[in-house]
């Protein structure tokens, strides 16, 4: 009996000593072990982070040694223990699933992007209350986006792009009030895009290459600098009221959707806007201002190609002082090419950026080519006038190369659409 008691005391002292001497909190070590155990060992390549993880040694005590070369960061916390504050895996092609239970209360960054994680996003991510960055990009994750992510009130960056996620954006995402960057592109998400109006710090939003339906959100955060919703199934009119307060917006890409009606002139009046891409939609006209125009727009590039735009070419793009790239290809514009377009391309006024890219092909423009364009030197600007109804656009002119003009019959048949 005495021998048993001595053995028990010795074992207890050993365990107490091991726990005391271990720099890494037990919960954190268990999570790292489970993460490694959930992965296919065949995906561990020599030199990768997880390949080196040897749990016969303490993780935080041996970080950056040959026992734990990389993959996480440890910091001392108020309680005197050492906790995981960052878990960032290298893009080594790890295959497997994420652990089901995450109890890392001091974790600030979790990034496993550019690997082959499969399965669903764990609901227990909601326990990571100090998390500011969550990166799950470019994996093979499936299922829906758990609404429990909405409890991550400190989250600033969320990357869910390039996975196989389905379903809608949880309406509870409006609770992520500190979120600055949200990327969900290249998934299978659907439903209506929520307003996200309470995300007062959001400056970057990418929902491209999904299956979202409905219209453009009526309200979006005024803090947005870049919006991309290209390649979805969005439709309806682009209402000026939904744009007026986006005073910080610099880039908007809504291409490859089903938007229709007029392209609102209010878009070009946004004070910070630089790039507009609305190609491959069903817009039928470009709204022009009804008042005397003094263009102060800072827009540099506009792409309205491959729509249903008709009528005469609008004059205001030639008056936009910084606009250097304009694509109106493959629409139904008629009439003559305005002389202002030619002058801005070849002889711009002082303080006016020239058209370095002017694409007008694939319309029903007719008449003579404006004489200033005839003086344009090859290589000085990219100009395309092919596939129109222009009088004398021989292939000897570089801006007529790459395609013929429309036939007389095509142009005559379309002439009834001239306003």
């Amino acid at each position: 009996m005495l021998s048993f008691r001595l053995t028990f005391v010795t074992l207890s002292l050993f365990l107490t000593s091991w726990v005391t001497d271990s720099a890494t909190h037990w919960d954190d070590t268990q999570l790292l072990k489970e993460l490694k155990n959930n992965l296919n060992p065949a995906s561990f390549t020599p030199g990768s982070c997880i390949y080196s993880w040897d749990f016969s040694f303490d993780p935080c005590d041996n970080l950056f040694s040959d026992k734990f070369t990389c993959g996480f960061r440890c910091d001392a916390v108020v309680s005197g223990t050492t906790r995981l504050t960052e878990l960032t895996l290298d893009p080594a092609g790890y295959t497997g699933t994420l652990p089901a239970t995450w109890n890392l209360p001091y974790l600030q960054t979790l990034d496993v992007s550019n690997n082959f994680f499969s399965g669903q996003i764990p609901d227990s991510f909601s326990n990571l209350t100090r998390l500011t960055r969550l990166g799950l990009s470019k994996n093979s994750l499936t299922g829906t986006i758990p609404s429990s992510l909405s409890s991550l009130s400190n989250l600033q960056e969320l990357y869910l792009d390039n996975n196989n996620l389905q379903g809608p954006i949880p309406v509870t995402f409006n609770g992520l009030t500190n979120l600055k960057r949200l990327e969900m592109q290249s998934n299978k998400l659907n439903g209506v895009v929520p307003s996200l109006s309470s995300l007062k710090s959001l400056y970057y939003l990418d929902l491209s290459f999904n299956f979202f339906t409905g219209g453009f959100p009526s309200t979006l955060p005024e803090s947005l600098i870049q919006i991309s919703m290209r390649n979805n199934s969005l439709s309806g009119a682009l209402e000026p009221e939904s744009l007026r307060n986006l005073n910080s917006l610099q880039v908007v890409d809504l291409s490859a959707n089903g938007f229709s009606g007029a392209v609102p002139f209010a878009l070009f009046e946004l004070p910070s806007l630089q790039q507009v891409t609305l190609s491959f939609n069903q817009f039928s006209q470009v709204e022009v201002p009804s008042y005397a125009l003094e263009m102060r727009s800072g827009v540099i590039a506009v792409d309205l190609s491959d729509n249903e735009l008709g009528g005469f070419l609008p004059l205001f793009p030639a008056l936009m002082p910084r606009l250097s790239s304009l694509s109106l290809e493959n629409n139904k514009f008629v009439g003559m090419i305005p002389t202002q377009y030619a002058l801005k391309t070849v002889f711009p006024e002082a303080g006016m950026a020239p058209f370095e890219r002017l694409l007008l092909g694939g319309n029903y423009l007719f008449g003579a080519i404006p004489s200033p364009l005839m003086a344009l030197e090859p290589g000085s600007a990219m100009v395309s006038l092919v596939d129109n109804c222009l009088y004398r656009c021989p292939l000897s002119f570089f801006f007529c190369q790459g395609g013929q003009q429309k036939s007389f019959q095509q142009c005559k048949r379309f002439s009834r659409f001239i306003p």
Side-chain angles (χ1 to χ4, degrees), residues 14 24 33 53 67 106 108 115 117 126 138 209 232 271 299-300 347 375 394:
F14 169 77
T24 311
K33 285 181 179 179
W53 289 3
K67 307 304 179 185
Y106 291 91
Q108 298 173 18
N115 283 290
F117 284 96
S126 60
K138 298 181 180 177
F209 295 96
N232 279 284
V299 175
I300 297 171
F347 305 116

Side-chain angles (χ1 to χ4, degrees), residues 19-156:
V19 171
T20 303
D21 293 341
S22 175
T24 311
H25 192 278
W26 187 85
D27 286 343
D28 298 3
T29 301
Q30 290 304 112
L31 186 283
L32 293 176
K33 285 181 179 179
E34 188 177 352
L35 178 60
K36 183 173 182 177
N37 291 337
N38 277 22
L39 300 179
N40 183 354
S43 66
F44 302 162
T45 56
S48 64
C49 290
I50 293 184
Y51 179 84
S52 70
W53 289 3
D54 181 354
F55 290 100
S56 59
F57 296 85
D58 182 83
C60 291
D61 266 349
N62 292 276
L63 185 56
F64 305 129
S65 73
D66 59 346
K67 307 304 179 185
F68 291 91
T69 57
C70 55
F72 57 93
R73 172 180 169 173
C74 301
D75 286 297
V77 296
V78 176
S79 61
T81 58
T82 302
R83 304 300 302 259
L84 258 66
T85 56
E86 179 177 338
L87 179 54
T88 302
L89 296 184
D90 49 335
Y94 302 119
T95 60
T97 59
L98 293 166
T101 303
W102 291 74
N103 290 313
L104 302 175
Y106 291 91
L107 197 69
Q108 298 173 18
T109 298
L110 173 57
D111 197 332
V112 298
S113 300
N114 297 283
N115 283 290
F116 296 99
F117 284 96
S118 56
Q120 299 191 5
I121 299 173
D123 276 325
S124 61
F125 275 175
S126 60
N127 297 330
L128 308 177
T129 54
R130 285 183 171 84
L131 204 65
T132 60
R133 175 188 172 94
L134 176 57
L136 305 177
S137 304
K138 298 181 180 177
N139 280 286
S140 301
L141 298 171
T142 55
T144 59
I145 300 171
S147 59
S148 58
L149 292 183
S150 305
S151 64
L152 302 178
S153 58
N154 290 306
L155 199 63
Q156 297 179 16

